[in-house]
Amino acid sequence: MSQSSARHRYRWGCIAEPEYVFHRVEDQRELERLRAIERVFDPASRWRLLAAGVQPSWRCLEVGPGAWSVLSWMSEVVGPAGRVEAVDLSTTFLPGI
């Protein structure tokens, strides 16, 4: 094997990306942003869901749960006989529910 092909293989090999230093800081800022949105919009979201008839034993889908405040609230409303599922692009702030 020539020296240039050995260098080429090494150069294009899989190398783990270093951890981004400010990742946790960005997560904290995003969580604060999501919590601020919850404070403003959750009361109206809950009112609309109750007006739609959400009640025990319902099956619900939460799209974009963010920091999961409405998801948690719906889980309490539907109770153990119901089910709430969530879909989001990022699961950073979702606990293992």
Side-chain angles (χ1 to χ4, degrees):
M1 176 179 347
S2 73
Q3 200 172 21
S4 65
S5 64
R7 273 184 277 159
H8 178 75
R9 284 188 334 159
Y10 176 77
R11 193 176 346 155
W12 297 105
C14 294
I15 299 172
E17 291 289 323
E19 185 177 336
Y20 182 58
V21 176
F22 298 109
H23 183 72
R24 289 186 183 141
V25 171
E26 288 176 354
D27 284 352
Q28 185 59 39
R29 286 183 184 157
E30 178 63 7
L31 182 58
E32 290 169 6
R33 185 186 74 83
L34 292 171
R35 295 284 186 221
I37 290 170
E38 290 171 351
R39 285 190 297 277
V40 173
F41 292 107
D42 277 11
S45 297
R46 291 175 182 176
W47 181 84
R48 289 181 185 271
L49 288 165
L50 289 172
V54 172
Q55 58 188 313
S57 77
W58 268 39
R59 293 176 62 196
C60 305
L61 174 65
E62 166 72 297
V63 178
W68 61 281
S69 64
V70 172
L71 171 72
S72 177
W73 175 82
M74 280 196 300
S75 296
E76 291 174 13
V77 172
V78 302
R83 184 177 181 123
V84 179
E85 303 223 12
V87 179
D88 202 325
L89 294 175
S90 172
T91 58
T92 302
F93 304 114
L94 290 176
I97 296 175

